[in-house]
């Protein structure tokens, strides 16, 4: 029984893969024209479609919006009863209909013509009503649906979805859309936190900073590490300039060497210099630095190399950067 499930799945994937490859091979000047229209749109890209095409349209609109092309989905049925007011003369309509004869979309065409709104059609028939009316037709025809009955939209919706992604990313590339731009439209997600959160947003400051002077003993440094709970302390000179760092790892090494922690100056056994970062750096860059050097905490310094903050891996995890 299970082997037949796998065989069915493999057949579906093979059919849909073939459909995508066929669509890729026929990309031509129509795709370029569609991209030009969308790129130069002064308003919004309004995506519309009924049924399964509508579900795919929702996703295409969301992908466009999150990658730098202002867009929203308009239900064609509701558009016929007032929602067409969402559309302005500066917009572009991306209409999805496999047959090209979806009544709810066709009924909108006279108004679209009066508004002079460009129409990009995703359909399997250039000679359909929608295909004939559209300014550009993007071919979403497939040799066969993956449904064994040949009825449920499967290959056709997959091709439509992939073509929508292709439009969105082609426009993203043309606009020079960056990861920072992407983060601005995703502030609530983990990706947004990774791309927008700065070191200054998460670091400990003031009395919470683990700092001792170069004249302190190893014992003094250990007490500071214990009080501040970051597993390390910065070592500074009389001008508060950071000279090095002392960590839990350094402690293990000196214990093996039988160093007298009460008599030994921490400056003698500290890690000179030590890895640091600036407060304006992105938290994700701090994470990369910590992973690269296999360290669990970082000091934050200003332009004069004076410690102004500190944080550890646990704080990055709590902030959602990990």
């Amino acid at each position: 029984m299970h082997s037949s499930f796998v065989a069915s799945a493999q057949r579906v994937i093979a059919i849909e893969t073939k459909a995508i490859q066929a669509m890729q091979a026929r990309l031509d000047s129509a795709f370029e024209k569609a991209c030009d229209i969308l790129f130069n749109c002064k308003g919004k890209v309004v995506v519309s479609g009924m049924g399964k095409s509508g579900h795919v349209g929702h996703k295409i609109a969301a992908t466009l919006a999150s990658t730098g092309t202002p867009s929203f989905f308009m239900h064609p049925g509701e558009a016929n009863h007032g929602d067409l007011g969402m559309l302005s003369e500066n917009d572009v309509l991306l209409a999805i209909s496999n047959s090209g004869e979806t009544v709810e979309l066709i009924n909108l065409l006279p108004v679209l013509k009066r508004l002079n709104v460009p129409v990009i059609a995703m359909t399997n028939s250039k000679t359909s009503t929608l295909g004939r009316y559209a300014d550009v037709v993007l071919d979403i025809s497939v040799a066969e649906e993956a449904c064994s009955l040949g009825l449920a939209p499967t290959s056709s919706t997959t091709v439509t979805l992939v073509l929508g992604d292709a439009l969105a990313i082609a426009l993203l590339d043309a606009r020079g859309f960056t990861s920072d731009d992407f983060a601005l439209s995703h502030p609530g997600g983990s990706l947004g936190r990774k791309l927008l959160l700065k070191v200054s947003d998460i670091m400990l400051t003031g009395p919470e900073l683990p700092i001792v002077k170069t004249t302190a003993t190893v014992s003094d440094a250990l007490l500071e590490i214990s009080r501040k709970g970051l597993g390390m302390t910065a070592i500074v000179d009389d001008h508060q300039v950071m000279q090095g760092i002392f960590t839990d790892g350094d402690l293990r090494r000196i214990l093996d060497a039988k160093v007298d922690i009460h008599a030994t100056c921490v400056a003698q056994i500290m890690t000179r210099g030590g890895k640091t970062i600036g407060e304006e750096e992105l938290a994700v860059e701090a994470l990369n630095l910590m992973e690269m050097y296999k360290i669990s905490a970082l000091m934050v310094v200003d332009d004069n190399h004076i410690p102004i903050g500190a944080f550890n891996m646990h704080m990055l995890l709590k902030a959602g950067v990990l």
Side-chain angles (χ1 to χ4, degrees):
M1 179 64 72
H2 290 285
S3 62
S4 65
F5 289 157
V6 172
S8 178
Q10 289 175 333
R11 183 187 63 80
V12 168
I13 293 169
I15 291 172
E16 297 201 2
T17 299
K18 187 175 179 181
I20 293 171
Q21 291 171 338
M23 180 267 293
Q24 180 183 18
R26 63 175 179 259
L27 285 179
D28 55 16
S29 58
F31 183 83
E32 291 184 359
K33 184 177 179 182
C35 287
D36 283 337
I37 292 173
L38 295 172
F39 184 81
N40 293 304
C41 175
K42 303 301 181 184
K44 289 181 169 57
V45 177
V46 182
V47 185
S48 194
M50 283 293 292
K52 302 296 188 298
S53 294
H55 293 307
V56 174
H58 272 287
K59 196 277 179 184
I60 292 175
T63 301
L64 286 167
S66 69
T67 53
T69 301
S71 179
F72 65 88
F73 179 82
M74 178 181 70
H75 192 288
E78 298 297 334
N80 278 283
H81 297 279
D83 280 4
L84 192 58
M86 296 176 176
L87 204 65
S88 75
E89 59 184 10
N90 291 320
D91 296 334
V92 173
L93 182 73
L94 180 59
I96 307 171
S97 171
N98 195 32
S99 68
E101 300 295 345
T102 303
V103 174
E104 292 84 354
L105 280 175
I106 302 305
N107 287 344
L108 302 178
L109 297 182
V111 181
L112 296 172
K113 190 174 183 65
R114 188 163 68 248
L115 290 173
N116 201 29
V117 171
V119 175
I120 299 171
M122 285 185 169
T123 179
N124 71 15
S125 175
K126 292 183 179 181
T127 60
S128 64
T129 304
L130 179 62
R132 292 195 308 273
Y133 177 87
D135 295 88
V136 185
V137 175
L138 298 178
D139 187 358
I140 56 170
S141 60
V142 296
E144 61 178 319
E145 296 288 5
C147 168
S148 56
L149 300 175
L151 299 174
T154 44
S155 301
S156 56
T157 50
T158 299
V159 164
T160 306
L161 183 61
V162 171
L163 191 56
D165 286 343
L167 285 171
I169 304 308
L171 294 169
L172 176 150
D173 291 339
R175 288 193 172 91
F177 197 74
T178 67
S179 57
D180 288 341
D181 296 322
F182 191 88
L184 290 173
S185 61
H186 297 75
S190 60
L191 183 58
R193 287 193 294 275
K194 286 183 179 181
L195 294 175
L196 292 176
L197 202 66
K198 292 184 178 181
V199 166
S200 58
D201 296 321
I202 61 170
M203 69 185 190
L204 298 175
T205 60
E208 296 179 288
L209 287 184
I211 295 176
V212 297
K213 292 288 188 67
T214 51
T215 53
T217 64
V218 174
S219 178
D220 293 332
L222 291 177
L223 288 173
E224 182 71 351
I225 290 174
S226 178
R227 281 194 296 266
K228 303 304 170 60
L230 290 181
M232 57 94 173
T233 184
I235 316 300
V236 300
D237 62 17
D238 290 337
H239 301 289
Q240 298 301 311
V241 176
M242 184 170 162
Q243 301 299 308
I245 196 165
F246 184 71
T247 69
D248 289 339
D250 294 321
L251 172 61
R252 288 189 290 273
R253 285 188 286 275
I254 67 170
L255 289 178
D256 289 339
K258 296 182 171 55
V259 172
D260 185 344
I261 64 173
H262 300 289
T264 304
C265 182
V266 71
Q268 295 178 246
I269 48 84
M270 69 182 180
T271 299
R272 294 198 171 275
K275 300 301 176 187
T276 61
I277 196 167
E279 65 176 333
E280 290 300 309
E281 295 294 326
L282 294 175
V284 70
E285 290 299 328
L287 174 62
N288 293 338
L289 184 65
M290 294 164 80
E291 290 180 336
M292 180 185 301
Y293 292 100
K294 296 179 171 57
I295 53 180
S296 59
L298 268 178
M299 292 300 300
V300 184
V301 296
D302 64 13
D303 293 339
N304 296 314
H305 214 62
I306 294 174
I308 57 173
F311 61 93
N312 61 14
M313 193 70 78
H314 176 72
M315 293 167 65
L316 290 176
L317 177 63
K318 188 175 180 181
V321 179
L322 279 172

